Amino acid sequence: MGERFYTLASFEYPADVQVLKGKLESEGIPVFLKDENTLNSDPLISSAIGGVRIQVYSRDKEMAKAIYDEIRSYALDKNGNPVVCPNCKAQKSEVYYQRKSLFHKLFPFFEKRKYKCLNCGMITKP
Ligand SMILES: [Zn+2]
């Protein structure tokens, strides 16, 4: 024991988890799923609560990050160019929805689109 874990990503939807998990495992990296809110590691219960973290061994961290960067999709503006963060100028943003209310969960298109910079974490409105 004493093995250190690194949390690579967290997902709201089990389908997204399966894509990344399958890709990492196909590269020979062991993957562990943890519930976002509890210590329960049963992915079925986790998906009911919402929020699953993907963890890898710390020694696999760099390789896992490279694979994740490869398959994840960054946000593009309406011209098809990567969204540039106004704070750090990184071109690694993702579409960010708060979806706090049930209304926005049911009708996410009513919420204004924002972008979250994956480099510095800044949330911007276009
Ligand atoms: Zn930034």
Side-chain angles (χ1 to χ4, degrees), residues 84-93 116-124:
V84 179
C85 172
N87 185 43
C88 71
K89 310 298 179 202
Q91 297 187 354
K92 289 185 173 184
S93 294
K116 181 182 180 186
C117 175
L118 297 168
N119 192 45
C120 70
M122 187 174 191
I123 293 165
T124 53

Side-chain angles (χ1 to χ4, degrees), residues 62-76:
E62 294 308 320
M63 195 176 166
K65 277 169 74 174
I67 292 166
Y68 182 36
D69 278 346
E70 210 172 277
I71 65 165
R72 72 180 303 162
S73 48
Y74 297 117
L76 301 175

Side-chain angles (χ1 to χ4, degrees), residues 27-95:
E27 301 285 339
I29 297 176
V31 175
F32 305 90
L33 302 182
K34 298 279 182 186
D35 187 271
E36 187 78 82
N37 303 309
T38 72
L39 291 176
N40 199 314
S41 59
D42 184 334
L44 285 176
I45 293 173
S46 298
S47 64
I49 297 167
V52 179
R53 278 182 299 174
I54 286 192
Q55 294 189 324
V56 296
Y57 288 125
S58 290
R59 60 181 148 86
D60 293 328
K61 174 180 164 181
E62 294 308 320
M63 195 176 166
K65 277 169 74 174
I67 292 166
Y68 182 36
D69 278 346
E70 210 172 277
I71 65 165
R72 72 180 303 162
S73 48
Y74 297 117
L76 301 175
D77 67 18
K78 56 184 184 299
N79 300 317
N81 298 313
V83 173
V84 179
C85 172
N87 185 43
C88 71
K89 310 298 179 202
Q91 297 187 354
K92 289 185 173 184
S93 294
E94 64 180 3
V95 178

